[in-house]
Amino acid sequence: MLDPQDRILFTEALRPPDDHELSWAIGTTFTLDLVAAVAAPLAFALFDWKDDSSDHRADAIPLLEALRRYADRMTVFVQAGQIAVPKPQQFLLSYLDESIVEAVAPQRGGLFHPKVWLLRFEDAEGGIRYRFLCQSRNLTFDRAWDSAVVLEGPLIDRKNAFSVNRPLSDFVAALPSMATGSLHAEARQRIRQAEREVLRVEWDLPEGFAEHTFWPMGVEDHRKHPISGRRDRSLVVAPFVGDAALSGLMEDGADNVLISKVESLQELKPETIELFPEIYVLDEAADIDARAAEETVDVVNDALTGLHAKIYVADAGWHARIWTGSTNATDAGFGPNVEFLVELRGPKSRFGIEALLSPGSGEARFRDLLKRYETHEYRPPDEVEEGLRVTIEEVRAALARAELIARVGGEQESGLFTVAVIRGRRRLKLPEGAAVRCWPVMHGEGSAVGVEPGPAGPLATFEMAGEELTGFFAFSVEASAGGRKREERFTLNLTLEGAPEDRRERVLRTVLKDRDRVLRFLLFLLAAGDAQQAAALLTSVQSDGKADGAALSLDLPLFESMLRALERQPSKLDHVARVVDDLRKTTDGESLIPDGFLEVWEPIWAARQALR
């Protein structure tokens, strides 16, 4: 159990089963990196993102097509105000603003903190399979040690529901009520379908486990504490811990074990520390791989490293119970927060605390990543710093509640649009000592303007190009008190009103801004997303030497590829047709289509339509 060698990548967990395609995906996260969110459509599309050529422009090709196919099939709920600020001029993010839904916890003082995914897959014969991920990981570039449970199973043709799935169904049904804005009709329809169908899914449990329970927390009719019943000995693994929550968890059992982070442990009172004969922290050596990754991965914000898993283990006689998911051992985690845990039950000899903490013989095990927490140095919270943090959270909440709208005016002669950030029905109130700035994420912080509190009406105005129009706007909040300052930046997904209908076609023309890129894109589609095969096809297309590929000789290999697709996998041609149609909607777009391509394409597409 929890073998460090048994790792699963998030993208691998999202990939469709063999011979299946994604119908839709519903995800939840506390924090969100918009660039990391692109990884989900890439996984759904089974595309190879890697490109060995020196021309890194090709990297945008699989991203573009994955988003065009799957962004609209994905709905991700995120805590309002917890979207990281991306780098500017990332036009593909425009495909995501209708897929990202900001949410808040229904209970006062709570946060929307679950980290689950529910995916529906369908095969060619209409067979349905569901996959459920419950993890401690957010949808970010964090490089921390996390935990995850992955369950998969078929949709069973039966009248009666599996009662064990009722809590999961209730959780999915509750998601729209926590959204700060309105959901698209398609998203609501998927949630209703998931609510009904998940009741009839028969999950395949991980090997060795006999039973499971879903534990949504912080939603209506699900207030029961998940960790109850007989506990002879308990283990808590959590990066964030609190005195009251730990004391409650340790009411039963003996020889209990706590694993956390040094900075969290130092905030515990000595009497709480005494509840645990054994306390461990992650050994610094366990972060070596993470530090190496920082040198090669481009991230938006500082990524989280170290321990981030949330795991609770209880030995009870011959049996062991394991809970894992999003919940930290804090009052908020087991109180007003919206959280999700999965409980698994199996034999203690295999899944109990000793099995988890037994040292490795050969390959490293979880125990080998830990070291003893020997000396406790109590450090009470810094009241000034805590006050600054609270002020920023108040501003974050006020902006999320303000129902902000990004209203797009008509296109000017310059080709730019005037975009006004409008306060909604609620008056914007800011606490004393807080300064707020706002800017479109496409422009960067250099275009930021100050935000003043007040009644409904204009908040800020910006000039934006059509391909830059998106609901994502960045905010910077600076709090001052006691001669100290604290600043945080975050993104809100505002309701976008009045955007031109061809907004995404403008993005398409911007990304595919010359004929060479259009040709790469078309070849990528014919190669079914295989970057190496697309590169091989590209070598068969000879340019006449013009730098922008203005004149191309489309010879036999390309023609054969289209004919092969027509015979063996006509759906490839459907994707090509969609791109060609979008480009031909405007004169500028049509000018990007390589010379000679339409003469080859049109008779093949006519044959594809006749086959229907």
Side-chain angles (χ1 to χ4, degrees), residues 479-502:
S480 303
R484 289 156 65 176
K485 293 183 179 180
R486 178 186 177 112
E487 183 183 11
E488 290 192 19
R489 297 175 174 85
F490 54 88
T491 298
L492 292 177
N493 189 11
L494 310 187
T495 300
L496 188 65
E497 292 184 353
E501 293 183 358
D502 66 344

Side-chain angles (χ1 to χ4, degrees), residues 523 526 536-537 539-541 554-564:
L523 292 172
L526 288 169
L537 282 173
T539 61
S540 68
V541 182
L554 305 178
D555 59 4
L556 192 58
L558 179 63
F559 181 69
E560 286 181 339
S561 295
M562 290 197 235
L563 288 179
R564 190 178 302 114

Side-chain angles (χ1 to χ4, degrees), residues 98 100-101 176 179-185 188 495:
E98 295 182 358
I100 306 301
V101 179
T180 58
S182 59
L183 270 68
H184 292 282
R188 289 188 176 276
T495 300

Side-chain angles (χ1 to χ4, degrees), residues 1-2 206-209 313 315 318-320 322 346-358 365:
M1 175 185 162
L2 294 180
E207 183 183 356
F209 289 105
V313 184
D315 291 346
W318 298 101
H319 305 285
I322 301 167
K348 185 177 74 172
S349 59
R350 186 169 179 181
F351 303 115
I353 296 173
E354 283 304 318
L356 172 62
L357 294 181
S358 60
R365 290 179 54 81

Side-chain angles (χ1 to χ4, degrees), residues 104-111 217-220 222-223 335-338:
V104 293
Q107 297 187 61
R108 184 177 180 85
L111 294 172
M217 303 161 63
V219 297
E220 190 174 358
H222 291 278
R223 307 282 195 235
N337 280 7
V338 176

